[in-house]
């Protein structure tokens, strides 16, 4: 690997970080807009950019849509006073928001977001094509809890402390359910042909050509989705920052861009989480599932289209992603917050047992399925050289 | 898979740290300067003077949850290699279903036991 290669990788990584940060910024805008629509308000519609907003029709329209609002928010964060209150533990106080943001930006490195073809061979568009894929995502994204715990502890204040403690217990509880709910998926994705076993998300996506796993494994998908809400501290599960009990939760003492980092990190986690859900259960960049009866091109109609096909696959992927971000926001402004003991009960007494039952059930179903396929593919009777007739099917079943 | 394929991961880690540091330094650099006062240096509790300890006692349940998490998470980690080779082993007629079901059975019994013991009771 020479220097040009590495430089190129740095540029790609930077671009991807920029895209995700921009998406995070605009998810905030989407959140505010959708919230106001749900509540019968208008939402941000005043921020104007001096030059661009005086374009006759387009300018005012963009202003009405609030397109410049994230920009203004960012600038406001940047030029606000950046206070470090006297009573906090200074080092950890500054460190915590960084720890919170970093995992969100690191996990995206193993996310495949599209497909390209080299000599008819499909390759994933991904920054690092490493075979630990989903394990890496689980491992790194769980580091995000440190940002919240350290932030809450370093603030040296009562309510942030409670917020941090609650948040850590909540996040580790749901991580368990999340980890268990993806086991059936991996079980299904690693087919019976030997030597293919790996944990890349690309492998999972290609295994979904016939049927998206959300249809085939709706219960694990649901468990994963609920855990995702809890992991990102989104609304029905945002006990760590429930205003009515804990002032502002773990970031009560934060201001300026330090608070901004927490904010961006939450949305970046949301985007990454939606991406993982899309890849695991919604067929990634594939257009439609074939259900085993439609022709194969339905899943990847752009297989022969060169780079245009790659762009289309990325767009399909981003489309599914945006659907999920809107879903996240929709849920937030629809459901009330759960009480803390309800959250813990839901995690331990419902989601974990359900996920465990799913592992049992899908292990049996997949074993049965594989046996059926094996029996179908085996000739019923084989005449061995010495003239003896062996029924191989029975042989298989007794195994 | 060779080490070289992990180079982008390293790059991403450095980039993430760089981004976080850069944003915070920029905010520190461009942020307004203002005089501090004692209100700013006091813990915020809705405008009232802070009362009690800054790190108050909290329920022992949180420790229990953390310990249970470690137990169960390790068991989930043990399951990951299994799901990777499960169908392969089935195809090769190696015993894989019942041994792992025994393992999962113990896991389930553990979960039921801690529920019966009230390790996860949050009411009260």
């Amino acid at each position: 690997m020479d220097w040009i290669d590495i430089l190129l990788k740095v540029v790609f990584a930077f671009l991807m970080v920029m895209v995700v940060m921009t998406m995070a910024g605009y998810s905030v805008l989407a959140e505010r807009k959708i919230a106001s629509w749900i509540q019968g308000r208008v939402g941000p519609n005043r921020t104007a950019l001096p030059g661009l907003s005086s374009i006759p029709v387009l300018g005012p329209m963009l202003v009405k849509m609030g397109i410049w609002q994230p920009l203004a928010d960012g600038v406001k964060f940047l030029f606000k006073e950046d206070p470090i209150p006297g009573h906090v533990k200074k080092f950890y106080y500054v460190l915590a928001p960084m720890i919170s943001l970093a995992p969100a930006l690191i996990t995206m490195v193993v996310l495949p977001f599209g497909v390209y073809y080299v000599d008819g061979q499909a390759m994933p568009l991904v920054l690092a094509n490493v075979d630990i894929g989903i394990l890496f995502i689980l491992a790194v994204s769980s580091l995000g809890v440190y940002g919240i715990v350290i932030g809450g502890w370093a603030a040296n204040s009562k309510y942030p402390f409670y917020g941090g403690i609650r948040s850590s217990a909540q996040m580790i509880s749901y991580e368990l359910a999340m980890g268990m709910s993806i086991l059936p998926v991996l079980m299904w994705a690693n087919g019976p042909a030997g030597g293919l076993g790996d944990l890349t998300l690309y492998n999972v996506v290609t295994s979904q050509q016939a049927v998206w796993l959300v249809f085939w494994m709706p219960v694990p998908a649901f468990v994963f989705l609920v855990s995702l809400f809890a992991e990102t501290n989104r609304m029905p599960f945002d006990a760590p920052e429930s205003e009515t009990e804990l002032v502002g939760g773990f970031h009560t003492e934060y201001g300026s861009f330090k608070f901004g980092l927490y904010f961006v990190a939450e949305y970046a986690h949301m985007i990454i989480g939606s991406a993982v859900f899309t890849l695991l259960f919604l067929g990634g960049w594939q257009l439609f599932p074939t259900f085993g009866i439609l022709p194969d091109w339905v899943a990847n109609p752009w297989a022969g289209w060169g780079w245009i096909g790659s762009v289309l696959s990325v767009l399909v992927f981003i489309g599914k992603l945006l659907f999920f971000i809107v879903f996240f926001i929709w849920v937030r402004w629809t459901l009330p917050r759960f009480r803390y003991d309800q959250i813990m009960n839901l995690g331990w007494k419902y989601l974990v047992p359900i996920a465990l039952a799913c592992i049992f059930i899908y292990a049996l179903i997949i074993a049965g399925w594989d046996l059926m396929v094996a029996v179908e593919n085996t000739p019923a009777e084989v005449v061995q050289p010495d003239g003896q007739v062996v029924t191989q099917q029975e042989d298989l079943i007794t195994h | 898979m060779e080490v070289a394929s992990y180079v982008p991961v390293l790059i991403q880690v450095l980039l993430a740290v760089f981004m976080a540091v850069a944003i915070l330094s920029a905010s520190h650099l461009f942020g307004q300067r203002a005089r501090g006062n004692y209100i700013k240096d006091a813990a915020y509790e809705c405008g009232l003077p802070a009362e009690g300890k800054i790190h108050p006692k909290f329920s022992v349940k949180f420790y229990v949850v953390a310990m249970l998490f470690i137990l169960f998470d390790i068991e989930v980690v043990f399951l990951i290699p299994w799901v990777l080779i499960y169908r392969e082993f089935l195809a090769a007629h190696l015993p894989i279903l019942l041994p792992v079901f025994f393992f999962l059975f113990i896991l389930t019994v553990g979960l039921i036991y801690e529920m019966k013991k009230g390790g996860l009771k949050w009411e009260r």
Side-chain angles (χ1 to χ4, degrees), chain A residues 289-305:
Chain A
T290 62
F291 293 116
I293 40 173
L294 299 170
D296 272 357
W297 62 265
V298 175
N300 290 305
W302 41 73
W305 294 7

Side-chain angles (χ1 to χ4, degrees), chain A residues 190-259:
Chain A
N190 290 289
L196 288 173
D198 67 17
L199 288 159
T200 51
L201 285 159
Y202 179 69
N203 192 9
V204 178
V205 172
T206 47
S207 75
Q208 295 181 56
Q209 187 157 337
V211 53
W212 291 356
L213 288 180
V214 71
F215 302 121
W216 166 215
M217 299 178 172
V219 179
F222 180 72
V223 172
F224 186 84
L225 191 63
V226 173
S227 317
L228 205 58
F229 273 88
E231 285 285 297
T232 48
N233 290 326
R234 290 292 297 183
M235 186 51 169
F237 299 101
D238 70 342
E241 43 185 309
S242 54
E243 300 92 353
T244 40
E245 312 160 20
L246 295 177
V247 192
F250 60 89
H251 52 52
T252 303
E253 302 285 343
Y254 280 90
S256 179
F257 235 121
K258 289 197 201 67
F259 169 73

Side-chain angles (χ1 to χ4, degrees), chain A residues 13 79-81 86-87 105 129-130 135 153 158 172 187-188 190 194 247 253 256 341 345 356 363 370 396, chain B residues 1 5 8 12 27 31-32 34 40-41 44 51 54-55 57 69 80 84 86-88 93 107 122-123:
Chain A
F79 289 110
K80 268 184 86 162
E81 189 198 343
H87 63 283
L105 297 185
N129 194 10
V130 294
L135 204 59
W153 174 76
K158 209 181 300 168
I172 60 179
M187 205 189 297
W188 177 246
N190 290 289
V247 192
E253 302 285 343
S256 179
D341 61 309
N345 271 347
L356 201 59
D370 277 357
L396 264 178
Chain B
M1 195 157 280
S5 58
Q12 195 77 13
S27 165
Q32 274 182 18
K40 265 187 191 168
D41 289 343
Y44 178 75
E51 264 188 31
I54 49 170
H55 287 171
K57 283 184 206 161
F69 163 72
I80 286 177
L84 289 184
Y86 177 60
R87 293 177 74 182
E88 216 174 299
H93 305 302
L107 191 77
W122 284 85
E123 307 84 15

Side-chain angles (χ1 to χ4, degrees), chain A residues 16 19-20 23 107-116 124-127 137 201-202 204-206 208 212 224 228 268-288 299-302 308-326:
Chain A
M16 194 160 172
V19 168
V20 172
M23 276 174 81
T107 42
M108 72 178 75
V109 76
V110 294
L111 285 180
F113 49 88
V115 66
Y116 69 100
L125 278 170
V126 58
L127 288 178
I137 289 176
L201 285 159
Y202 179 69
V204 178
V205 172
T206 47
Q208 295 181 56
W212 291 356
F224 186 84
L228 205 58
H269 271 300
M270 201 169 100
I271 291 167
I272 302 292
S274 314
V276 174
F277 186 86
T278 309
L279 291 168
L280 286 179
F281 294 103
L282 274 188
W285 49 83
Q286 296 175 359
L287 194 57
F288 289 110
N300 290 305
W302 41 73
I308 300 174
S310 303
V311 172
L312 282 179
S313 69
V314 174
L315 287 183
V316 167
F317 178 66
I318 290 181
K320 290 179 185 176
L321 192 72
L322 291 184
F323 167 75
F324 263 97
I325 290 170
V326 171

Side-chain angles (χ1 to χ4, degrees), chain A residues 375 378-382 390-394:
Chain A
V375 169
T378 320
E381 288 179 345
V382 176
V390 179
T391 52
Q392 283 199 353
Q393 284 192 349
E394 279 174 23

